[in-house]
Amino acid sequence: MTTPYGPAQNQPPTGQQPMPPTAQFPQVPAGQVPPPAPGQFPQQPGQFPPPGAPAPAARKRPWLIPTLIGVGAFVVLCCGGSMVIGLVSGDDKKTGVSASSGIPAASPSISAPAAAAPSTSAPAPAKPEPAKTTAAPAPAKPKTFGVGDKVRGGDFEFTVNGVKCGISQVGSQFLNTKAQGTFCKVNVTVKNVTKSAHTFHADGTLSAQDATGREYEADGEAGIYGNSDGQGFLDEINPGNSVKANVYFDVPKGTKLKTITFDAGLFTFAEDAVVTL
């Protein structure tokens, strides 16, 4: 067994001059490392290739780099241009879609009702009918009574038989009374319509009114002289009986009476009776 790099191995063949140990490597100054050959890694300081190993020859291919550059440029021109155009057109489409997506497309088949043209054949709006108002029923007018009508007033039923005005004196030649103005004589019939006897006194029961609204009271003294038996002065009338009397009103000359009112009395709920002359 031999030791690598032993003296026996380094012996030259017979007939050849022995080479010095440093003859296999180029002589370089001490402390410097020879530059590596192209295609080889640089050697670290202090390292040397194994003895007898031939240095690999550098492969030089000067045509490879220009060829690769040309092929790359062709690919870029052929494929890159179409890709760029496609990307640009795709961006334009996306931009158009995104821009148009925010605005709703107008549909020709759908139109707002307000946009429709007004129809000339549309009927004119009907005029509203006035609201029907039901008038409240008018209050019933009180029944008016005239000469000859029977009128209920309290406990009695009255009938005006006739009226005469322009009388200056009432009574006889020796017993009489004169009017301040002129007397109006009203002949009435008084009937008791209740179930008990009642006293009738003309003075305070009957009154007369003219057209201007002035009211006149009955003259009791003229009533005594103007009735043969004093009718109309504290007459006691039984149920169903009646008394005819003359009632006198002293009024200014030229006065015309319009109505005669029969007082129903203070102790009854009956309304007063009015007769229009």
Side-chain angles (χ1 to χ4, degrees):
M1 189 170 180
T2 60
T3 304
Y5 301 101
Q9 292 181 356
N10 296 330
Q11 296 297 326
T14 306
Q16 292 184 0
Q17 292 292 332
M19 296 180 64
T22 62
Q24 295 180 0
F25 303 97
Q27 297 294 324
V28 294
Q32 295 183 1
V33 180
Q40 293 183 356
F41 295 98
Q43 296 181 359
Q44 299 294 330
Q47 294 183 359
F48 298 94
R59 295 180 181 180
K60 296 181 179 181
R61 295 177 181 177
W63 54 270
L64 180 59
I65 295 177
T67 302
L68 294 175
I69 294 173
V71 171
F74 179 76
V75 171
V76 169
L77 292 176
C78 293
C79 299
S82 61
M83 291 176 64
V84 170
I85 294 172
L87 291 174
V88 172
S89 62
D91 293 340
D92 293 340
K93 290 180 179 179
K94 291 180 180 179
T95 304
V97 171
S98 62
S100 63
S101 61
I103 303 174
S107 176
S109 61
I110 301 175
S111 60
S119 175
T120 57
S121 61
K127 295 182 179 180
E129 296 182 359
K132 296 181 179 180
T133 57
T134 57
K141 294 182 179 180
K143 184 179 178 181
T144 58
F145 300 93
V147 177
D149 293 335
K150 296 178 180 181
V151 183
R152 175 72 181 268
D155 298 330
F156 301 98
E157 181 183 79
F158 301 93
T159 304
V160 176
N161 301 314
V163 178
K164 182 181 178 181
C165 292
I167 303 172
S168 60
Q169 179 178 319
V170 176
S172 62
Q173 183 179 0
F174 302 101
L175 297 174
N176 56 59
T177 181
K178 293 182 178 178
Q180 296 174 354
T182 185
F183 287 116
C184 283
K185 183 179 68 173
V186 179
N187 184 262
V188 297
T189 300
V190 181
K191 182 179 181 178
N192 185 354
V193 293
T194 65
K195 296 181 179 181
S196 58
H198 292 284
T199 301
F200 170 70
H201 185 61
D203 190 3
T205 301
L206 276 71
S207 61
Q209 297 83 28
D210 61 11
T212 61
R214 293 180 296 183
E215 184 170 306
Y216 306 95
E217 297 293 336
D219 190 330
E221 184 180 359
I224 294 174
Y225 290 114
N227 291 283
S228 58
D229 293 332
Q231 296 91 337
F233 180 78
L234 297 176
D235 290 326
E236 187 74 19
I237 305 174
N238 287 322
N241 290 337
S242 60
V243 173
K244 183 180 284 188
N246 293 321
V247 181
Y248 294 88
F249 298 95
D250 192 349
V251 298
K253 294 181 179 180
T255 301
K256 293 183 178 181
L257 299 181
K258 182 178 180 181
T259 56
I260 300 296
T261 301
F262 300 91
D263 190 358
L266 299 176
F267 304 101
T268 178
F269 293 102
E271 294 182 358
D272 295 345
V274 179
V275 175
T276 301
L277 303 176

